[in-house]
Amino acid sequence: MSKITFRLTFGSWGQRMLAATYLAGQVVVHLLRGKIYRRNTIEQMAIVGPQSLLIVLLTASFVGMVFTIQVARELVAFGTANMVGGMLALTLTRELGPVLTAVVVAGRVGSAFAAEIGTMKVTEQIDALYILKTDPVDYLVIPRVIACGVMMPILTLLCLVAAIVGGLVIAVNLYDIPRSIYIDSVHSFLTIWDLCSGLTKSVIFGVLIAVIGTSWGLTTTGGAKGVGKSTTTAVVTSLISIFIFNFFLSWGMFQGLGGAMKQGL
């Protein structure tokens, strides 16, 4: 029975992934047509951005502090304290910042998308939209995709600032690293390409979260229990997709590139 259950579960998940892929194609086509519900888009941008800002800043600040605690002690022992800020900034900009922000947004916003649209689906509100000759992709999906795609880079940038400031506080107060050395290290390690790559990742992650969340909502069945399952599965699928895409994006962006460590030295 367990094998049969696994096959049914995996088969259902695979079908929903195909539905999400198809929905992504629909999003591209509908965006090219240029039909956008501006009011809905602005409302979703407020949900994704300002309402997620506090938790992103808090998470980033403490991650920056913890990273500095773990790294600064070793670097100071080896006499390379001038690399603390640069290593933190480089790691955050390329990897931790976009991924960390995406994880927070997936947990908070992606789940909300799946739950809200899933509830609309099981209560037949989606069918009502069709009766009113309103395409759910235009009315529900596009505004959320745009909101995530626009707000994620902004949240990521603020996440980077908060984490670097958090690391600065620890480096100065616990390890007696001069503020000027820390800041100079950040400047010497970071390049425009690092920042652009991190923001590019954040846009892609934002679109992934929106497409998966809305797709799982639109394919919800089974009443309230189905809404709960869709919400949980949407978050898990979003997280897995973020990590997988992050690997391939990092592989494409940074394979064979280097020089930041040499500049810092």
mmCIF file of all heavy atoms in Angstrom, residues 10-43:
data_model
loop_
_atom_site.group_PDB
_atom_site.id
_atom_site.type_symbol
_atom_site.label_atom_id
_atom_site.label_comp_id
_atom_site.label_asym_id
_atom_site.label_seq_id
_atom_site.Cartn_x
_atom_site.Cartn_y
_atom_site.Cartn_z
ATOM 1 N N PHE A 10 3.418 10.987 -5.960
ATOM 2 C CA PHE A 10 4.420 11.517 -6.889
ATOM 3 C C PHE A 10 3.786 11.840 -8.233
ATOM 4 O O PHE A 10 4.133 12.842 -8.868
ATOM 5 C CB PHE A 10 5.552 10.505 -7.072
ATOM 6 C CG PHE A 10 6.692 11.017 -7.903
ATOM 7 C CD1 PHE A 10 7.630 11.876 -7.355
ATOM 8 C CD2 PHE A 10 6.810 10.673 -9.240
ATOM 9 C CE1 PHE A 10 8.680 12.369 -8.114
ATOM 10 C CE2 PHE A 10 7.847 11.158 -10.009
ATOM 11 C CZ PHE A 10 8.785 12.007 -9.442
ATOM 12 N N GLY A 11 2.839 10.983 -8.671
ATOM 13 C CA GLY A 11 2.165 11.249 -9.933
ATOM 14 C C GLY A 11 1.364 12.533 -9.883
ATOM 15 O O GLY A 11 1.378 13.334 -10.823
ATOM 16 N N SER A 12 0.664 12.756 -8.770
ATOM 17 C CA SER A 12 -0.099 13.988 -8.601
ATOM 18 C C SER A 12 0.816 15.201 -8.578
ATOM 19 O O SER A 12 0.518 16.233 -9.191
ATOM 20 C CB SER A 12 -0.912 13.915 -7.307
ATOM 21 O OG SER A 12 -1.582 15.131 -7.065
ATOM 22 N N TRP A 13 1.957 15.071 -7.870
ATOM 23 C CA TRP A 13 2.919 16.175 -7.819
ATOM 24 C C TRP A 13 3.486 16.473 -9.207
ATOM 25 O O TRP A 13 3.635 17.626 -9.587
ATOM 26 C CB TRP A 13 4.046 15.820 -6.847
ATOM 27 C CG TRP A 13 5.064 16.902 -6.685
ATOM 28 C CD1 TRP A 13 4.994 17.988 -5.873
ATOM 29 C CD2 TRP A 13 6.323 17.011 -7.375
ATOM 30 N NE1 TRP A 13 6.128 18.773 -5.997
ATOM 31 C CE2 TRP A 13 6.956 18.192 -6.915
ATOM 32 C CE3 TRP A 13 6.972 16.221 -8.331
ATOM 33 C CZ2 TRP A 13 8.203 18.594 -7.380
ATOM 34 C CZ3 TRP A 13 8.213 16.619 -8.794
ATOM 35 C CH2 TRP A 13 8.804 17.794 -8.317
ATOM 36 N N GLY A 14 3.783 15.417 -9.961
ATOM 37 C CA GLY A 14 4.313 15.612 -11.314
ATOM 38 C C GLY A 14 3.310 16.310 -12.219
ATOM 39 O O GLY A 14 3.676 17.190 -13.012
ATOM 40 N N GLN A 15 2.048 15.928 -12.097
ATOM 41 C CA GLN A 15 1.013 16.577 -12.896
ATOM 42 C C GLN A 15 0.892 18.061 -12.552
ATOM 43 O O GLN A 15 0.722 18.904 -13.435
ATOM 44 C CB GLN A 15 -0.330 15.877 -12.672
ATOM 45 C CG GLN A 15 -0.401 14.470 -13.253
ATOM 46 C CD GLN A 15 -1.700 13.775 -12.927
ATOM 47 O OE1 GLN A 15 -2.559 14.323 -12.227
ATOM 48 N NE2 GLN A 15 -1.855 12.547 -13.409
ATOM 49 N N ARG A 16 1.014 18.366 -11.261
ATOM 50 C CA ARG A 16 0.903 19.771 -10.854
ATOM 51 C C ARG A 16 2.129 20.556 -11.288
ATOM 52 O O ARG A 16 2.022 21.755 -11.586
ATOM 53 C CB ARG A 16 0.691 19.848 -9.344
ATOM 54 C CG ARG A 16 -0.590 19.187 -8.889
ATOM 55 C CD ARG A 16 -0.834 19.300 -7.406
ATOM 56 N NE ARG A 16 -1.558 20.521 -7.078
ATOM 57 C CZ ARG A 16 -2.088 20.767 -5.888
ATOM 58 N NH1 ARG A 16 -1.973 19.874 -4.920
ATOM 59 N NH2 ARG A 16 -2.731 21.895 -5.653
ATOM 60 N N MET A 17 3.276 19.912 -11.347
ATOM 61 C CA MET A 17 4.465 20.585 -11.863
ATOM 62 C C MET A 17 4.309 20.903 -13.350
ATOM 63 O O MET A 17 4.693 21.977 -13.811
ATOM 64 C CB MET A 17 5.708 19.719 -11.648
ATOM 65 C CG MET A 17 6.276 19.784 -10.238
ATOM 66 S SD MET A 17 6.808 21.454 -9.760
ATOM 67 C CE MET A 17 8.166 21.709 -10.894
ATOM 68 N N LEU A 18 3.723 19.962 -14.086
ATOM 69 C CA LEU A 18 3.449 20.223 -15.502
ATOM 70 C C LEU A 18 2.449 21.371 -15.654
ATOM 71 O O LEU A 18 2.595 22.220 -16.546
ATOM 72 C CB LEU A 18 2.903 18.954 -16.175
ATOM 73 C CG LEU A 18 3.901 17.806 -16.371
ATOM 74 C CD1 LEU A 18 3.191 16.587 -16.944
ATOM 75 C CD2 LEU A 18 5.040 18.238 -17.303
ATOM 76 N N ALA A 19 1.448 21.390 -14.774
ATOM 77 C CA ALA A 19 0.473 22.481 -14.798
ATOM 78 C C ALA A 19 1.148 23.815 -14.488
ATOM 79 O O ALA A 19 0.823 24.845 -15.101
ATOM 80 C CB ALA A 19 -0.648 22.210 -13.800
ATOM 81 N N ALA A 20 2.097 23.808 -13.557
ATOM 82 C CA ALA A 20 2.820 25.035 -13.225
ATOM 83 C C ALA A 20 3.680 25.497 -14.393
ATOM 84 O O ALA A 20 3.778 26.700 -14.674
ATOM 85 C CB ALA A 20 3.691 24.811 -11.987
ATOM 86 N N THR A 21 4.300 24.542 -15.089
ATOM 87 C CA THR A 21 5.100 24.889 -16.272
ATOM 88 C C THR A 21 4.219 25.496 -17.362
ATOM 89 O O THR A 21 4.590 26.488 -18.005
ATOM 90 C CB THR A 21 5.812 23.637 -16.816
ATOM 91 O OG1 THR A 21 6.600 23.050 -15.769
ATOM 92 C CG2 THR A 21 6.708 23.994 -17.989
ATOM 93 N N TYR A 22 3.054 24.891 -17.570
ATOM 94 C CA TYR A 22 2.111 25.426 -18.557
ATOM 95 C C TYR A 22 1.642 26.819 -18.152
ATOM 96 O O TYR A 22 1.522 27.721 -19.003
ATOM 97 C CB TYR A 22 0.915 24.478 -18.683
ATOM 98 C CG TYR A 22 -0.157 24.965 -19.626
ATOM 99 C CD1 TYR A 22 0.060 24.995 -21.001
ATOM 100 C CD2 TYR A 22 -1.392 25.398 -19.142
ATOM 101 C CE1 TYR A 22 -0.922 25.443 -21.868
ATOM 102 C CE2 TYR A 22 -2.377 25.849 -19.998
ATOM 103 C CZ TYR A 22 -2.138 25.865 -21.365
ATOM 104 O OH TYR A 22 -3.103 26.323 -22.221
ATOM 105 N N LEU A 23 1.389 26.999 -16.857
ATOM 106 C CA LEU A 23 0.960 28.311 -16.367
ATOM 107 C C LEU A 23 2.048 29.354 -16.602
ATOM 108 O O LEU A 23 1.745 30.504 -16.953
ATOM 109 C CB LEU A 23 0.618 28.229 -14.879
ATOM 110 C CG LEU A 23 0.157 29.542 -14.221
ATOM 111 C CD1 LEU A 23 -1.131 30.041 -14.867
ATOM 112 C CD2 LEU A 23 -0.043 29.340 -12.717
ATOM 113 N N ALA A 24 3.313 28.975 -16.420
ATOM 114 C CA ALA A 24 4.413 29.904 -16.677
ATOM 115 C C ALA A 24 4.412 30.357 -18.131
ATOM 116 O O ALA A 24 4.644 31.537 -18.430
ATOM 117 C CB ALA A 24 5.747 29.246 -16.324
ATOM 118 N N GLY A 25 4.134 29.411 -19.040
ATOM 119 C CA GLY A 25 4.029 29.788 -20.450
ATOM 120 C C GLY A 25 2.868 30.728 -20.706
ATOM 121 O O GLY A 25 2.993 31.696 -21.472
ATOM 122 N N GLN A 26 1.742 30.470 -20.050
ATOM 123 C CA GLN A 26 0.596 31.370 -20.176
ATOM 124 C C GLN A 26 0.929 32.771 -19.671
ATOM 125 O O GLN A 26 0.502 33.772 -20.263
ATOM 126 C CB GLN A 26 -0.596 30.811 -19.390
ATOM 127 C CG GLN A 26 -1.296 29.634 -20.032
ATOM 128 C CD GLN A 26 -2.530 29.231 -19.247
ATOM 129 O OE1 GLN A 26 -2.432 28.824 -18.090
ATOM 130 N NE2 GLN A 26 -3.680 29.338 -19.876
ATOM 131 N N VAL A 27 1.671 32.841 -18.586
ATOM 132 C CA VAL A 27 2.056 34.140 -18.029
ATOM 133 C C VAL A 27 2.854 34.939 -19.047
ATOM 134 O O VAL A 27 2.616 36.142 -19.247
ATOM 135 C CB VAL A 27 2.869 33.949 -16.726
ATOM 136 C CG1 VAL A 27 3.520 35.255 -16.306
ATOM 137 C CG2 VAL A 27 1.970 33.438 -15.616
ATOM 138 N N VAL A 28 3.797 34.282 -19.714
ATOM 139 C CA VAL A 28 4.614 34.971 -20.720
ATOM 140 C C VAL A 28 3.733 35.497 -21.848
ATOM 141 O O VAL A 28 3.849 36.658 -22.270
ATOM 142 C CB VAL A 28 5.697 34.018 -21.271
ATOM 143 C CG1 VAL A 28 6.439 34.679 -22.432
ATOM 144 C CG2 VAL A 28 6.674 33.629 -20.172
ATOM 145 N N VAL A 29 2.836 34.640 -22.339
ATOM 146 C CA VAL A 29 1.952 35.040 -23.450
ATOM 147 C C VAL A 29 1.057 36.198 -23.039
ATOM 148 O O VAL A 29 0.895 37.180 -23.779
ATOM 149 C CB VAL A 29 1.108 33.834 -23.914
ATOM 150 C CG1 VAL A 29 0.065 34.285 -24.939
ATOM 151 C CG2 VAL A 29 1.996 32.753 -24.506
ATOM 152 N N HIS A 30 0.473 36.129 -21.862
ATOM 153 C CA HIS A 30 -0.445 37.172 -21.403
ATOM 154 C C HIS A 30 0.300 38.482 -21.133
ATOM 155 O O HIS A 30 -0.245 39.565 -21.370
ATOM 156 C CB HIS A 30 -1.170 36.713 -20.142
ATOM 157 C CG HIS A 30 -2.246 35.700 -20.408
ATOM 158 N ND1 HIS A 30 -3.562 35.872 -20.049
ATOM 159 C CD2 HIS A 30 -2.200 34.488 -21.014
ATOM 160 C CE1 HIS A 30 -4.280 34.825 -20.416
ATOM 161 N NE2 HIS A 30 -3.459 33.964 -20.993
ATOM 162 N N LEU A 31 1.532 38.380 -20.649
ATOM 163 C CA LEU A 31 2.312 39.603 -20.433
ATOM 164 C C LEU A 31 2.633 40.285 -21.755
ATOM 165 O O LEU A 31 2.639 41.520 -21.837
ATOM 166 C CB LEU A 31 3.614 39.267 -19.691
ATOM 167 C CG LEU A 31 3.487 39.057 -18.172
ATOM 168 C CD1 LEU A 31 4.822 38.602 -17.608
ATOM 169 C CD2 LEU A 31 3.034 40.347 -17.487
ATOM 170 N N LEU A 32 2.898 39.491 -22.784
ATOM 171 C CA LEU A 32 3.178 40.066 -24.100
ATOM 172 C C LEU A 32 1.951 40.786 -24.657
ATOM 173 O O LEU A 32 2.078 41.737 -25.439
ATOM 174 C CB LEU A 32 3.634 38.968 -25.069
ATOM 175 C CG LEU A 32 5.001 38.347 -24.768
ATOM 176 C CD1 LEU A 32 5.290 37.205 -25.736
ATOM 177 C CD2 LEU A 32 6.102 39.403 -24.846
ATOM 178 N N ARG A 33 0.765 40.342 -24.258
ATOM 179 C CA ARG A 33 -0.454 41.031 -24.692
ATOM 180 C C ARG A 33 -0.636 42.359 -23.976
ATOM 181 O O ARG A 33 -1.372 43.222 -24.449
ATOM 182 C CB ARG A 33 -1.669 40.137 -24.433
ATOM 183 C CG ARG A 33 -1.711 38.875 -25.279
ATOM 184 C CD ARG A 33 -2.893 38.006 -24.893
ATOM 185 N NE ARG A 33 -2.947 36.776 -25.679
ATOM 186 C CZ ARG A 33 -3.811 35.787 -25.452
ATOM 187 N NH1 ARG A 33 -4.691 35.913 -24.455
ATOM 188 N NH2 ARG A 33 -3.784 34.708 -26.191
ATOM 189 N N GLY A 34 0.022 42.497 -22.820
ATOM 190 C CA GLY A 34 0.024 43.779 -22.114
ATOM 191 C C GLY A 34 -1.203 44.080 -21.290
ATOM 192 O O GLY A 34 -1.416 45.226 -20.886
ATOM 193 N N LYS A 35 -2.028 43.045 -21.008
ATOM 194 C CA LYS A 35 -3.213 43.287 -20.195
ATOM 195 C C LYS A 35 -2.858 43.064 -18.725
ATOM 196 O O LYS A 35 -2.644 41.929 -18.286
ATOM 197 C CB LYS A 35 -4.353 42.354 -20.606
ATOM 198 C CG LYS A 35 -5.673 42.671 -19.897
ATOM 199 C CD LYS A 35 -6.802 41.787 -20.403
ATOM 200 C CE LYS A 35 -8.120 42.135 -19.707
ATOM 201 N NZ LYS A 35 -9.246 41.301 -20.193
ATOM 202 N N ILE A 36 -2.811 44.150 -17.954
ATOM 203 C CA ILE A 36 -2.408 44.080 -16.549
ATOM 204 C C ILE A 36 -3.443 44.811 -15.695
ATOM 205 O O ILE A 36 -3.815 45.940 -15.996
ATOM 206 C CB ILE A 36 -1.017 44.711 -16.343
ATOM 207 C CG1 ILE A 36 0.040 43.946 -17.157
ATOM 208 C CG2 ILE A 36 -0.643 44.718 -14.868
ATOM 209 C CD1 ILE A 36 1.401 44.598 -17.132
ATOM 210 N N TYR A 37 -3.887 44.126 -14.643
ATOM 211 C CA TYR A 37 -4.783 44.758 -13.673
ATOM 212 C C TYR A 37 -3.919 45.525 -12.674
ATOM 213 O O TYR A 37 -3.363 44.935 -11.745
ATOM 214 C CB TYR A 37 -5.637 43.712 -12.962
ATOM 215 C CG TYR A 37 -6.725 43.117 -13.835
ATOM 216 C CD1 TYR A 37 -6.458 42.050 -14.680
ATOM 217 C CD2 TYR A 37 -8.025 43.632 -13.812
ATOM 218 C CE1 TYR A 37 -7.460 41.503 -15.480
ATOM 219 C CE2 TYR A 37 -9.022 43.090 -14.604
ATOM 220 C CZ TYR A 37 -8.728 42.034 -15.439
ATOM 221 O OH TYR A 37 -9.724 41.494 -16.238
ATOM 222 N N ARG A 38 -3.804 46.819 -12.875
ATOM 223 C CA ARG A 38 -2.858 47.618 -12.088
ATOM 224 C C ARG A 38 -3.207 47.642 -10.601
ATOM 225 O O ARG A 38 -2.330 47.589 -9.747
ATOM 226 C CB ARG A 38 -2.797 49.037 -12.640
ATOM 227 C CG ARG A 38 -2.127 49.137 -13.994
ATOM 228 C CD ARG A 38 -2.048 50.568 -14.499
ATOM 229 N NE ARG A 38 -1.285 50.666 -15.738
ATOM 230 C CZ ARG A 38 -1.778 50.438 -16.935
ATOM 231 N NH1 ARG A 38 -3.057 50.091 -17.058
ATOM 232 N NH2 ARG A 38 -1.016 50.539 -18.010
ATOM 233 N N ARG A 39 -4.491 47.745 -10.303
ATOM 234 C CA ARG A 39 -4.889 47.813 -8.892
ATOM 235 C C ARG A 39 -4.500 46.537 -8.155
ATOM 236 O O ARG A 39 -3.956 46.584 -7.047
ATOM 237 C CB ARG A 39 -6.389 48.051 -8.790
ATOM 238 C CG ARG A 39 -6.883 48.186 -7.347
ATOM 239 C CD ARG A 39 -8.372 48.487 -7.307
ATOM 240 N NE ARG A 39 -8.866 48.571 -5.935
ATOM 241 C CZ ARG A 39 -10.129 48.805 -5.621
ATOM 242 N NH1 ARG A 39 -11.027 49.004 -6.582
ATOM 243 N NH2 ARG A 39 -10.494 48.848 -4.348
ATOM 244 N N ASN A 40 -4.802 45.397 -8.773
ATOM 245 C CA ASN A 40 -4.420 44.126 -8.156
ATOM 246 C C ASN A 40 -2.906 44.022 -8.001
ATOM 247 O O ASN A 40 -2.406 43.519 -6.986
ATOM 248 C CB ASN A 40 -4.920 42.956 -9.003
ATOM 249 C CG ASN A 40 -6.416 42.752 -8.882
ATOM 250 O OD1 ASN A 40 -7.093 43.536 -8.211
ATOM 251 N ND2 ASN A 40 -6.944 41.728 -9.517
ATOM 252 N N THR A 41 -2.190 44.491 -9.001
ATOM 253 C CA THR A 41 -0.733 44.412 -8.966
ATOM 254 C C THR A 41 -0.164 45.239 -7.822
ATOM 255 O O THR A 41 0.729 44.787 -7.091
ATOM 256 C CB THR A 41 -0.139 44.897 -10.308
ATOM 257 O OG1 THR A 41 -0.675 44.110 -11.374
ATOM 258 C CG2 THR A 41 1.373 44.768 -10.300
ATOM 259 N N ILE A 42 -0.680 46.440 -7.646
ATOM 260 C CA ILE A 42 -0.195 47.305 -6.559
ATOM 261 C C ILE A 42 -0.508 46.687 -5.201
ATOM 262 O O ILE A 42 0.323 46.726 -4.278
ATOM 263 C CB ILE A 42 -0.816 48.711 -6.682
ATOM 264 C CG1 ILE A 42 -0.295 49.406 -7.951
ATOM 265 C CG2 ILE A 42 -0.488 49.554 -5.453
ATOM 266 C CD1 ILE A 42 -0.974 50.719 -8.253
ATOM 267 N N GLU A 43 -1.698 46.109 -5.068
ATOM 268 C CA GLU A 43 -2.060 45.456 -3.802
ATOM 269 C C GLU A 43 -1.123 44.298 -3.489
ATOM 270 O O GLU A 43 -0.678 44.126 -2.338
ATOM 271 C CB GLU A 43 -3.502 44.958 -3.880
ATOM 272 C CG GLU A 43 -4.549 46.070 -3.868
ATOM 273 C CD GLU A 43 -5.962 45.524 -4.016
ATOM 274 O OE1 GLU A 43 -6.111 44.285 -4.230
ATOM 275 O OE2 GLU A 43 -6.918 46.314 -3.928
#
